[in-house]
């Protein structure tokens, strides 16, 4: 027997490939075990099982007998004649030599070359498609008729009998081509949204990468400036140099780690979007409407995910950089100042801030239940009314006091020492802030910003709103750094190491005063 004829005899009538683990039915026809199991599975609900080749019926699911002899022949053929690479679908009627098929007829379950296609029936029931060998999924498993319609209510492809007399009777149906075009239209919209989302993601990744480079350059610049400054100082400042550079490196690592993690997340999201787009593009480019429609349920998550992803992008907004994603130069400045204070006074003017050592308390603003020290640096609560004269600047309802000088430009830094118990507040306010009533309390209006402490509670207050800070203070000294032009007001806990507490970012519109508030048995002292 010729090799081609032998291969034909050993070809499964379902998958049209050489048998894999061949079995036979009681009618004598052979199939691959996996192929026949799949066919019988589709007939499970109909109550009748039929042979795919001779259509013999079985009341119960037929038993499958392994064909040992056929297994041996297949094995021998695979050893002596390795299976040729599949080069396509061949014409069913060209039996003497394989000829590539041009079309397949779903009614005849046959593939045709150009010659046989010219003489093939042109009637409507003979539906022609691209060459295929998969006939089972193109016919109704119950009525054995071609699938011609799409039931929109059940999202299923059905035959004419299903539509007229079957379980889909009375349902809204569409022709397969019409339903396929509608689905492709939806796929186009989903693809467009995914494309837009990927472009936004790529822009965010690019922005983060640029910010990462900026942080690296900024860190290098800060390091260079600090190294040049410290090299001009005596040998005993080497320990301070190492400490400051270590702080810069620590901040840089923290910032870059946060940015790198976000970039990694966005890269994963971009890869997932690309995967979804590739699948949708592949599905969109399919010419077979049945295949397009039958893919709906298994990949519904991709389509829903695109809609959900849009909402997520909208919710995230335009924020490109995670909170705290920059070097804290203020903290570096405070660290330097604390280290240099006992060595050289004039070095303070060479670093990043102007140390404001002439902050004095204005007794004309002090409430009558507070005592202001003679050097005008300390304010304490008093149960005794001080009987000071009434002025338009004086606080009348709350134990507060302002500084004599104001700040309308530049960078300024001062430190305060607070009581470890009781209620207190340190901050800044405009000169125009009220002096009486609840609106005169620091942080109860839009003209003041105050860091409040009450035993273990610590919070930032502005415009009558609190921002709770964790953990509470572990020491009694707080540093305040004001950058007027940049619109930043920053608070630090001056423990070891120095801890950043909170930064306010706002456009200042009036001159600012240092502002203090004390509760019962509480004192606050301006250290410098």
């Amino acid at each position: 027997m010729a090799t081609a004829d032998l291969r034909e005899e050993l070809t499964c009538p379902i998958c049209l490939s050489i048998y894999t683990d061949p079995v036979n039915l009681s009618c004598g026809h052979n199939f691959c075990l996996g192929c026949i199991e799949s066919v019988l599975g589709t007939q499970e609900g109909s109550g009748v099982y039929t042979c795919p080749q001779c259509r013999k019926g079985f009341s119960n699911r037929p038993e499958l007998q392994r064909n040992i002899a056929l297994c041996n022949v297949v094995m021998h053929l695979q050893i002596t004649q390795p299976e040729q690479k599949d080069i396509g679908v061949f014409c069913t009627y060209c039996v003497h030599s394989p000829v590539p098929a041009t079309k397949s007829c779903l009614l005849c379950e046959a593939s045709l070359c150009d010659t046989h296609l010219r003489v093939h029936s042109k009637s409507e029931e003979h539906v022609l498609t691209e060459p295929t060998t998969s006939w089972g999924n193109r016919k109704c498993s119950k009525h054995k008729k071609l699938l011609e319609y799409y039931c929109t209510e059940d999202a299923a492809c059905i035959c004419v009998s299903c539509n007229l007399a079957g379980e889909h009777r009375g349902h809204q149906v569409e022709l397969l081509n019409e339903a396929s075009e509608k689905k492709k239209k939806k796929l186009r919209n989903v693809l467009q949204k995914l494309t837009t989302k990927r472009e936004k993601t790529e822009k965010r990744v690019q922005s983060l990468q640029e910010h990462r480079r900026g942080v690296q350059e900024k860190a290098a610049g800060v390091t260079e400036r600090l190294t040049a400054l410290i090299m001009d100082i005596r040998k005993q400042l080497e320990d301070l140099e190492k400490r400051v550079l270590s702080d810069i490196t620590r901040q840089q690592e923290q910032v870059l780690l946060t940015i790198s993690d976000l970039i990694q997340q966005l890269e994963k999201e971009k890869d997932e979007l690309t995967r979804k787009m590739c699948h949708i593009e592949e599905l969109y480019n399919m010419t077979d409407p049945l295949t397009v429609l039958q893919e709906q349920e298994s990949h519904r998550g991709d389509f829903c995910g695109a809609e959900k992803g849009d909402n997520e992008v909208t919710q995230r907004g335009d924020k490109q950089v995670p909170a705290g994603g920059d070097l804290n130069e203020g903290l570096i400045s405070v660290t330097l100042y604390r280290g240099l204070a006992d060595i050289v006074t004039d070095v303070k003017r060479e670093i990043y801030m102007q140390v404001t050592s002439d902050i004095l308390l204005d007794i004309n603003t002090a409430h009558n239940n507070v005592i202001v020290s003679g050097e005008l640096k300390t304010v304490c609560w008093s149960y005794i009314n001080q009987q000071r004269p009434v002025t338009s600047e004086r606080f009348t309802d709350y134990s507060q006091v302002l500084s004599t000088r104001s700040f309308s430009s530049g960078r300024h830094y001062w430190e305060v020492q607070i009581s470890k118990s009781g209620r207190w507040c340190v901050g800044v306010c405009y000169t125009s802030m009220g002096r009486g009533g609840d609106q005169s309390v620091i942080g109860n209006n839009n003209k003041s910003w105050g860091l409040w402490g009450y035993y273990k509670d610590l919070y930032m207050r502005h415009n009558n709103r609190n921002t709770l800070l964790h953990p509470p203070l572990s020491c009694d000294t707080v540093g305040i750094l004001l950058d007027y032009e940049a619109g930043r007001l920053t608070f630090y806990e001056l423990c070891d190491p120095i801890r950043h507490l909170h930064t306010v970012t706002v456009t200042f519109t009036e001159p600012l005063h240092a502002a203090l508030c004390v509760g019962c048995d509480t004192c606050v002292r301006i250290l410098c």
Side-chain angles (χ1 to χ4, degrees), residues 27 46 105 111 123 152 154 158 220 241 258 317 328 352 387 458 478:
C27 60
S46 64
C105 177
S111 298
S123 61
T152 58
D154 296 329
I158 62 175
E241 179 184 11
T258 302
N328 191 332
Y352 303 125
Q387 300 296 324
L458 185 68
V478 173

Side-chain angles (χ1 to χ4, degrees), residues 486-506:
R488 284 196 298 269
L489 174 67
T490 306
F491 297 86
Y492 302 96
E493 180 186 24
L494 302 181
C495 51
D496 189 13
I498 295 174
R499 177 167 70 102
H500 171 259
L501 295 175
H502 188 77
T503 296
V504 173
T505 302
V506 65

Side-chain angles (χ1 to χ4, degrees), residues 455-468:
Y455 291 98
K456 292 186 177 182
D457 290 334
L458 185 68
Y459 55 92
M460 190 71 201
R461 187 168 181 81
H462 171 67
N463 205 18
N464 212 25
R465 294 182 180 179
N466 293 337
T467 300
L468 195 61

Side-chain angles (χ1 to χ4, degrees), residues 18-257:
I18 300 297
Y19 287 117
T20 301
D21 197 7
V23 295
N24 57 34
L25 301 177
S26 59
C27 60
H29 292 108
N30 298 294
F31 308 94
C32 296
L33 176 60
C35 294
I36 190 62
E37 286 281 8
S38 177
V39 171
L40 294 177
T42 62
Q43 300 174 353
E44 196 78 46
S46 64
V48 177
Y49 299 90
T50 58
C51 171
Q53 195 159 1
C54 68
R55 305 299 182 185
K56 179 181 178 180
F58 303 91
S59 57
N60 297 318
R61 184 168 180 140
E63 294 184 2
L64 303 176
Q65 300 293 332
R66 191 166 185 234
N67 193 326
I68 303 298
L70 197 55
C71 283
N72 294 333
V73 175
V74 169
M75 184 180 301
H76 178 75
L77 178 66
Q78 290 174 340
I79 294 175
T80 58
Q81 299 288 337
E83 185 174 357
Q84 298 178 355
K85 183 178 179 180
D86 185 16
I87 59 174
V89 180
F90 296 105
C91 177
T92 306
Y93 304 106
C94 295
V95 296
H96 298 295
S97 62
V99 177
T102 302
K103 295 288 182 180
S104 292
C105 177
L106 300 184
L107 180 64
C108 302
E109 293 189 0
S111 298
L112 306 98
C113 63
D114 287 330
T115 301
H116 289 98
L117 182 62
R118 286 195 293 268
V119 298
H120 188 264
S121 174
K122 301 299 189 293
S123 61
E124 294 183 357
E125 62 267 21
H126 289 269
V127 180
L128 298 177
T129 67
E130 296 301 316
T132 181
T133 58
S134 302
W135 314 107
N137 63 350
R138 297 180 176 276
K139 289 191 175 183
C140 176
S141 60
K142 186 173 182 179
H143 302 105
K144 310 306 175 187
K145 294 183 178 180
L146 287 177
L147 299 174
E148 300 180 68
Y149 301 96
Y150 179 72
C151 177
T152 58
E153 295 184 24
D154 296 329
C157 298
I158 62 175
C159 68
V160 64
S161 295
C162 291
N163 182 28
L164 297 177
E167 59 186 29
H168 299 275
R169 182 176 56 185
H171 289 187
Q172 182 70 32
V173 298
E174 298 174 345
L175 293 175
L176 291 183
N177 286 335
E178 295 177 356
S180 175
E181 287 303 317
K182 288 182 179 180
K183 182 174 181 179
K184 285 186 176 182
K185 183 177 180 181
K186 293 180 179 179
L187 290 176
R188 282 194 298 270
N189 293 334
V190 172
L191 184 61
Q192 183 178 2
K193 291 178 180 179
L194 288 174
T195 302
T196 302
K197 183 179 178 183
R198 188 177 68 172
E199 291 174 353
K200 291 181 179 178
T201 303
E202 289 175 346
K203 290 181 180 179
R204 293 185 64 197
V205 170
Q206 182 180 1
S207 175
L208 287 170
Q209 290 172 337
E210 292 175 354
H211 181 72
R212 179 170 61 181
R213 289 191 295 270
V215 170
Q216 292 170 329
E217 293 172 359
K218 198 172 187 179
V222 172
T223 302
E224 182 180 356
R225 292 196 303 270
L226 292 179
T227 302
L229 174 63
I230 295 175
M231 287 179 62
D232 293 336
I233 306 173
R234 296 162 56 180
K235 183 69 171 61
Q236 62 263 33
L237 295 179
E238 291 180 358
D239 291 340
L240 178 60
E241 179 184 11
K242 294 178 182 179
R243 178 182 172 189
V244 173
L245 294 180
S246 175
D247 283 349
I248 295 175
T249 301
R250 174 175 54 82
Q251 287 190 47
Q252 179 184 354
E253 290 176 351
Q254 292 174 350
V255 173
L256 295 183
L257 179 61

Side-chain angles (χ1 to χ4, degrees), residues 238-459:
E238 291 180 358
D239 291 340
L240 178 60
E241 179 184 11
K242 294 178 182 179
R243 178 182 172 189
V244 173
L245 294 180
S246 175
D247 283 349
I248 295 175
T249 301
R250 174 175 54 82
Q251 287 190 47
Q252 179 184 354
E253 290 176 351
Q254 292 174 350
V255 173
L256 295 183
L257 179 61
T258 302
I259 296 175
S260 297
D261 288 345
L262 185 53
I263 288 177
Q264 186 178 6
Q265 294 174 13
L266 291 173
E267 290 289 359
K268 290 181 179 179
E269 184 177 351
K270 186 179 74 172
D271 291 341
E272 178 63 16
L273 292 172
T274 302
R275 181 195 66 78
K276 291 181 180 180
M277 290 176 62
C278 289
H279 171 72
I280 293 178
E281 287 177 345
E282 179 182 359
L283 189 60
Y284 174 75
N285 290 327
M286 289 184 180
T287 57
D288 184 5
L290 186 59
T291 302
V292 172
L293 294 172
Q294 288 183 334
E295 285 286 319
Q296 177 175 359
E297 293 299 328
S298 60
H299 295 280
R300 183 181 296 272
D302 285 351
F303 308 148
C304 296
E307 299 292 342
K308 181 179 179 182
D310 279 348
N311 293 335
E312 291 177 353
V313 169
T314 303
Q315 293 170 1
R316 291 174 186 167
D318 298 328
K319 188 175 182 181
Q320 302 296 320
V321 181
D326 207 342
L327 291 178
N328 191 332
E329 291 190 61
L331 190 148
I332 298 170
S333 301
V334 174
T335 303
L336 268 178
Y337 169 72
R338 296 284 293 181
L340 296 173
D342 296 332
I343 303 174
V344 280
T345 303
D346 56 343
V347 174
K348 300 174 184 178
R349 298 184 181 90
E350 301 298 327
I351 55 177
Y352 303 125
M353 57 193 175
Q354 174 185 348
V355 179
T356 309
S357 58
D358 60 343
I359 294 182
L360 302 176
L361 299 177
D362 185 359
I363 200 168
N364 291 324
T365 64
H367 186 265
N368 278 326
N369 283 107
V370 299
I371 296 177
V372 179
S373 64
E375 81 276 26
L376 302 179
K377 290 283 189 177
T378 304
V379 58
C380 294
W381 165 267
S382 173
Y383 288 96
I384 302 175
N385 191 305
Q386 302 300 304
Q387 300 296 324
R388 299 187 183 100
V390 177
T391 65
S392 59
E393 296 88 4
R394 191 176 311 284
F395 289 102
T396 59
D397 296 304
Y398 292 92
S399 50
Q400 302 178 150
V401 62
L402 304 182
S403 63
T404 55
R405 68 165 296 174
S406 61
F407 313 104
S408 57
S409 63
R411 296 166 62 91
H412 305 273
Y413 173 76
W414 64 98
E415 297 176 358
V416 293
Q417 186 177 36
I418 47 88
S419 299
K420 292 186 177 180
S421 61
R423 187 183 297 274
W424 53 267
C425 175
V426 295
V428 298
C429 71
Y430 292 146
T431 307
S432 61
M433 186 181 75
R435 299 295 193 267
D438 290 342
Q439 287 299 307
S440 67
V441 178
I442 301 170
N444 272 18
N445 49 72
N446 61 1
K447 296 186 176 184
S448 59
W449 297 261
L451 178 70
W452 282 86
Y454 183 63
Y455 291 98
K456 292 186 177 182
D457 290 334
L458 185 68
Y459 55 92

